[in-house]
Amino acid sequence: MRYARIEVTPDPLVSATSLRQTAHEVGITALDDLHHHKLFFVAHPDLSDDDVDTLCREVLSDPVIETVTWRWRDTAEALRDADDRVEVQVLPGVTDRTAAEVRRAAEQLGIDLTHSATGHRYDLVSPTPLHETTRHELAKRVLCNEVVERYRLGEDHPAFIGEADGDTSLVERFDLAGLDDDGLVALGQERQLALNIDELGVLRDFARHQGRALTDAELEMVAQTWSEHCYHKTFRAEISYREYDDAGELVRTETVDGLLKQYIRAATEACSKDWIVSAFVDNAGIIEFDDEFVVSFKAETHNHPSALEPFGGANTGVGGVIRDVIGVSAKPIAVTDVLCFGPQDLPFDALPEGTLHPRRVQAGVVAGVGDYGNKMGVPTVNGTVVYHPGYVANPLVYCGCVGLAPKNSHVTNPHIGDRIVVLGGLTGRDGLRGATFSSRDLGSESSGTDIASTAVQIGDPIVEKDVMEVILAARDQGLYNAITDCGAGGLSSAIGEMASGLGAHVELHNVGLKYAGLLPWEIWLSEAQERMVLSVSPDKLDQVRVLCEHYGVHCDVVGEMTGTGRMLVTYGGDPVVDLPMDLLHEGHPRMRLEAEWRPPREVSVKQVEDVPDLDASDLLLRFLADPNVASKEYIVRSYDHEVQGGTVVKPFTGAHNHGPSDAAVLRPLGTKGLRGIALGNGINPHYGELDPYAMALSAVDEAVRNVVAVGGDPDRLAILDNFCWGNPRLPDRLGSLVRAAQGCWAAATAFDLPFISGKDSLNNEYVAADGTRRPIPGTLLISALAIVPDVTLAVTMDAKAAGNLIYIVGETKNEFGGSLMMQHIGAGNAVVPGLAEGGVGVARALHRAITGQLVRACHDLSEGGLAVAAAEMAIAGALGLRIDPGKVPVSDDVSHPLEILFSESNGRWLVEVAPEQAGAFEAALSGYPVAQCGEVTEGGRLELSPIDLPIDRLDTAWQRFNRLNTPGGTL
């Protein structure tokens, strides 16, 4: 094929500094420099020289800062190697948004293109040519991610999609009836179904009853439907739970009738809140906002994909959770992100085989999150970043989205005869078996497997933005009877769930494809992004088509709701799936699992008084510089948190807008009055390593403290649970998961809080080639959404004015398990913070004080305790604080000054109050542990005996990690 190769070069040449630095860090120090050039490839039988010149001039280059050259090439020409060049392109079939925009721009210029692709050329500068082995290492470890990209040492031909080979109507059939158990297991492994022998046995019995073989599409559909990701079979399982004490004695046994049913749903049912609209039955949880609107909230994870292709994994994670909110007929109004990475200074020789360095993972994930939210026009307003060695091989990427919709606008009632409409992105091979892929452990070979390269995708937020506009317009015109997003499992999952009560017939020939060559099962299971599925009455089809044409959104009518109770899928009229709905949705054999909890071996912790020469000031500076506390401004500033114009309390606040807000507050655009919402979260895996039950208590408590601190109403507060855990088939992993779920129930009922949605991501383990397992620390994220009655009364955490009084609300206990003190110097004790007594009462009283305008500033105490919270409050306000630790309410077990300064007990806030409001504030908190312990000063120092440090020194420590992660910084 003849094509034009176009090279765009910065003028003057610019050094790829960060890539060069990474190359040096991996040991390729002979590389002096890297120069980057953009590549474009375009083709059409009638493409002329003038056409290419026009594209270069009008679309592909900026003549002020770039030079462009091009020449004709042919894919039949031989390629030459080069010792000073590496070229990188996305693999054929992987979303190339830039290439799509080149085609669109060419069309507007009247130039037809049949193919377009993009790439990167890197020129290597070194005193002598790098050895070929070194160049391959540079390409694989620095320049290219082979999960979604390819590279060549020298010039490369474009990664155009080729013509289809073979019979694309091929349907494989498997005679399960004749297989013994070993044969079933072998088939499951060959097809990568991630099903156990009991599940495969049900399919064998079904095949025998039907008297026929099962097709590849049927096997894949059942595997998807019953996958951990879609069916949550561990959370539905019956679990035999055993609990042991420190001496190894069995102290408790229990049969758990499903973690979801017995702990999470039970907590919501115990609350009985009349403002809950939908919980656990839809794509997102929904609560009332006011008399006209409801708000929805959902958080998902995209861990396995992000481990292999960080940008694409995080990118499609955000895109997927935004579609969840669109799938409940809501407009996305905010995105949240909680990211968990390995240490950024990890030596490269300590990396597990086949994994990306945590710095590369972080850079890709952060870019992927920002790319999707920013392009969609949805503000990213809340989140956190957690660092832990347990995330080196398995990063965690929690993506959340909040939506707004008019009351009663979300319909969920498909009708017999409704047409099934798929709109949005086209279907391709970029996204196969993602549901089953996420239900497996990662291994040293994962990055090179076929399933990884197809399960990981690159998103297209511009397409999703257009899809959103179509859905909102169709909602307002009442054009559909049901809606769902097309995520894990693709059409199989979306249509299978939507038609679960009726049955449906789908003709795969009607599904729009990105390119030819997909087999029927691939069309049915593809998880290609940016697609939604609607159930539409025949008389409204034309209106839907008109809307799609107006917004430039692709639309296909692929089938209809039948009422037969069966899922019938055909390809050119020939059946490829014919399964009863009750097999898919009720036929799964309930798992019965074993779980046990044993406290960790005795943790060696020194008493604070037994550690010589502890300097409180040095400890505070060290804690402020800890990556889990330090400023993440370099990450947060890459996100747009102002778009849509509703962000009242932003991620940063204070005199210089760099203080860490406890939570975000939004007043949704289009609503009346001053009502808003607060978004916060709680997470701390270090607590879970000692006691997952206590970790859950703390996560809920912290999420509540976050939103209450900014003005959220604790009586109009809903939470989400997101569990990320190891392999639940191992009793110790499952035991800790049970214990965490028990903690969720205890905390939610103590605070009278409902869970309205949740998600679990299991099998987050890296399995080395020798079989060694590296599980993540069991990690629970609690996300909180609270109604703020009046956003003009919202409070921020920065100190406001000298002379104001400082109060501490809540009691300090001797609780250091998992704390910064324990992590850094092994001192304190192994007692993980528990729930504070009267926590919900304190929260309600503090909320009344805030709405009564008695509070000038409020900041919750979490990692690092009182000293860190006070330092952050002073840094943000650029004012001093003078606090007397002797006036802090403490429990009887507190005996040392450092215990007051650094204990991480729950249920505590620092509150700034004007002197004239002191009496009213104390009256509002009467009956709860509260004390006036200090004041705001002009002195620019934190005086917290024995600590006495200038604020600028605190700020320098807190900003250190931020500076090291900015371009040119070195960890």
Side-chain angles (χ1 to χ4, degrees), residues 337-379:
D337 67 301
V338 173
L339 313 175
C340 303
F341 303 122
Q344 298 296 284
D345 58 355
L346 184 77
F348 276 85
D349 58 9
L351 270 180
E353 182 182 354
T355 63
L356 300 175
H357 192 276
R359 291 193 74 178
R360 188 170 179 183
V361 172
Q362 175 175 285
V365 166
V366 170
V369 169
D371 177 82
Y372 218 101
N374 293 353
K375 289 179 179 175
M376 278 286 294
V378 182

Side-chain angles (χ1 to χ4, degrees), residues 691-762:
D691 187 354
Y693 182 91
M695 174 181 69
L697 299 180
S698 293
V700 173
D701 195 294
E702 182 181 11
V704 171
R705 294 196 311 271
N706 281 179
V707 293
V708 169
V710 296
D713 184 349
D715 287 316
R716 290 294 303 277
L717 195 162
I719 55 177
L720 312 180
D721 63 280
N722 284 92
F723 293 86
C724 287
W725 234 259
N727 188 334
R729 305 301 173 264
L730 301 176
D732 63 327
R733 317 288 205 264
L734 185 57
S736 65
L737 181 60
V738 170
R739 192 157 171 81
Q742 293 169 339
C744 283
W745 182 89
T749 53
F751 278 102
D752 194 30
L753 293 177
F755 291 97
I756 59 169
S757 183
K759 194 73 172 178
D760 57 274
S761 172
L762 308 179

Side-chain angles (χ1 to χ4, degrees), residues 510-842:
N510 296 335
V511 178
L513 304 181
K514 294 181 179 180
Y515 38 81
L518 272 70
L519 296 171
W521 80 264
E522 294 176 322
I523 300 172
W524 188 229
L525 271 293
S526 167
E527 299 180 11
Q529 297 291 296
E530 289 79 45
R531 298 177 300 163
M532 301 293 295
V533 178
L534 305 179
S535 181
V536 179
S537 300
D539 59 335
K540 295 180 179 177
L541 272 178
D542 287 344
Q543 292 168 269
V544 172
R545 288 190 177 106
V546 168
L547 272 179
C548 289
E549 184 177 355
H550 175 74
Y551 285 101
V553 170
H554 184 85
C555 170
D556 294 313
V557 179
V558 302
E560 66 177 303
M561 299 292 178
T562 60
T564 63
R566 300 187 72 83
M567 186 73 248
L568 175 63
V569 182
T570 56
Y571 186 82
D574 297 326
V576 297
V577 173
D578 187 1
L579 297 173
M581 286 297 189
D582 58 3
L583 171 70
L584 290 167
H585 299 292
E586 282 86 43
H588 181 268
R590 189 183 192 193
M591 294 194 304
R592 287 170 172 79
L593 302 174
E594 299 290 324
E596 65 177 35
W597 161 250
R598 297 176 184 270
R601 294 179 179 177
E602 184 175 347
V603 180
S604 177
V605 183
K606 306 171 187 175
Q607 295 299 312
V608 171
E609 56 267 25
D610 294 336
V611 180
D613 303 322
L614 276 183
D615 185 284
S617 295
D618 287 344
L619 286 175
L620 175 57
L621 293 172
R622 189 189 307 185
F623 293 170
L624 286 172
D626 185 286
N628 286 312
V629 174
S631 173
K632 313 299 188 305
E633 191 168 0
Y634 71 100
I635 291 177
V636 180
R637 291 294 186 196
S638 68
Y639 306 144
D640 188 337
H641 47 263
E642 301 281 4
V643 67
Q644 296 193 22
T647 314
V648 177
V649 174
K650 311 174 198 313
F652 295 115
T653 189
H656 303 297
N657 286 315
H658 77 311
S661 294
D662 288 307
V665 174
L666 300 116
R667 178 189 172 276
L669 201 64
T671 60
K672 299 175 183 177
L674 297 172
R675 181 168 292 204
I677 58 174
L679 298 173
N681 64 76
I683 185 172
N684 194 322
H686 293 282
Y687 294 165
E689 291 181 301
L690 297 177
D691 187 354
Y693 182 91
M695 174 181 69
L697 299 180
S698 293
V700 173
D701 195 294
E702 182 181 11
V704 171
R705 294 196 311 271
N706 281 179
V707 293
V708 169
V710 296
D713 184 349
D715 287 316
R716 290 294 303 277
L717 195 162
I719 55 177
L720 312 180
D721 63 280
N722 284 92
F723 293 86
C724 287
W725 234 259
N727 188 334
R729 305 301 173 264
L730 301 176
D732 63 327
R733 317 288 205 264
L734 185 57
S736 65
L737 181 60
V738 170
R739 192 157 171 81
Q742 293 169 339
C744 283
W745 182 89
T749 53
F751 278 102
D752 194 30
L753 293 177
F755 291 97
I756 59 169
S757 183
K759 194 73 172 178
D760 57 274
S761 172
L762 308 179
N763 299 290
N764 289 283
E765 300 204 8
Y766 171 84
V767 183
D770 63 359
T772 303
R773 287 182 169 273
R774 300 188 187 189
I776 64 164
T779 306
L780 171 66
L781 169 68
I782 297 292
S783 303
L785 182 153
I787 300 297
V788 178
D790 184 344
V791 297
T792 66
L793 303 180
V795 174
T796 56
M797 52 75 65
D798 49 305
K800 300 298 190 301
N804 284 343
L805 306 178
I806 296 296
Y807 285 81
I808 186 166
V809 175
E811 185 180 52
T812 298
K813 302 176 182 179
N814 188 7
E815 295 174 316
F816 282 93
S819 67
L820 289 177
M821 179 77 84
M822 184 174 174
Q823 294 171 49
H824 280 263
I825 62 171
N829 56 37
V831 179
V832 183
L835 284 181
E837 294 182 10
V840 67
V842 176

